């Protein structure tokens, strides 16, 4: 049982490495127009930008909107870095600010950023299905239930 569990964890680790390689290293997706590609490249160009963009999208889908300072705290970057990113992406039209309550500026994703994220999500889904990621996860979950 222990050997099977180790083999499944190794397979999962290999599949994850393949997925991350495909998403981060193996080249850009095809079919994106110049505006979408510029947006994608911006967020892929640094760790802080990537974390900021992922957080904006997470907040979009959970409807847990945040300010620039709140997002900086969520991401773990300085306020100055977050302000710089927010200014850049607002200028590109990828986010907008909604004023509310005590005049806070809540960050909201614009349709172009949502479209880029949905393309990324589809690419992850397709590639992880090709790797049969779900079967490995299902097998690990089943094995954990049997052994616990």
């Amino acid at each position: 049982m222990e050997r099977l569990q180790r083999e499944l964890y190794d397979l999962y680790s290999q599949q994850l490495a393949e997925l991350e390689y495909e998403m981060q290293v193996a080249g850009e997706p095809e079919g994106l127009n110049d505006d979408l590609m510029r947006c994608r490249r911006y967020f892929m160009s640094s760790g802080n930008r990537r974390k900021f963009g992922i957080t904006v999208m997470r907040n979009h889908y959970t409807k847990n909107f945040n300010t620039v300072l709140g997002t900086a705290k969520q991401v773990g970057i300085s306020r100055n870095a977050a302000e710089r990113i927010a200014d850049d992406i607002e200028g590109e039209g990828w986010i907008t600010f909604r004023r509310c309550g005590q005049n806070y500026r809540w960050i909201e994703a614009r349709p172009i950023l949502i479209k880029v994220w949905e393309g990324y999500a589809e690419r992850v889904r397709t590639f992880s299905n090709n790797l049969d990621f779900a079967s490995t996860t299902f097998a690990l979950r089943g094995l954990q239930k049997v052994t616990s």
Side-chain angles (χ1 to χ4, degrees):
M1 210 47 101
E2 193 173 301
R3 181 172 168 245
L4 177 59
Q5 188 174 24
R6 179 76 266 148
E7 288 175 4
L8 284 171
Y9 278 121
D10 287 348
L11 177 59
Y12 181 86
S13 296
Q14 177 188 352
Q15 290 170 327
L16 180 60
E18 289 293 332
L19 177 64
E20 288 292 330
Y21 180 82
E22 178 67 21
M23 297 300 109
Q24 307 301 323
V25 179
E28 297 180 330
E30 297 176 8
L32 294 181
N33 68 34
D34 291 344
D35 291 337
L36 297 175
M37 192 59 81
R38 189 172 65 251
C39 181
R40 180 191 181 279
R41 285 180 182 145
Y42 178 87
F43 286 103
M44 297 296 284
S45 67
S46 80
N48 285 351
R49 289 174 176 178
R50 181 161 170 69
K51 291 188 292 185
F52 193 94
I54 289 169
T55 302
V56 168
M57 292 314 306
R58 179 180 175 270
N59 293 348
H60 167 77
Y61 287 110
T62 62
K63 305 295 185 221
N64 183 25
F65 302 108
N66 214 335
T67 63
V68 173
L69 178 58
T71 303
K73 288 178 181 178
Q74 270 185 290
V75 171
I77 62 176
S78 72
R79 181 181 184 161
N80 286 344
E83 288 286 352
R84 212 169 17 254
I85 292 168
D87 288 347
D88 288 349
I89 64 180
E90 181 188 28
E92 291 287 345
W94 301 333
I95 63 165
T96 190
F97 290 101
R98 181 173 45 94
R99 295 223 180 249
C100 63
Q102 299 171 328
N103 208 26
Y104 289 119
R105 295 183 329 145
W106 299 104
I107 299 171
E108 290 187 347
R110 299 282 314 269
I112 188 170
L113 181 56
I114 295 166
K115 186 171 183 169
V116 168
W117 182 260
E118 288 172 348
Y120 178 78
E122 176 60 21
R123 196 165 170 224
V124 169
R125 186 194 65 76
T126 299
F127 197 75
S128 62
N129 283 345
N130 291 343
L131 290 171
D132 207 15
F133 218 52
S135 294
T136 305
T137 301
F138 183 75
L140 277 167
R141 191 176 311 137
L143 188 61
Q144 287 169 344
K145 285 182 181 182
V146 169
T147 59
S148 51

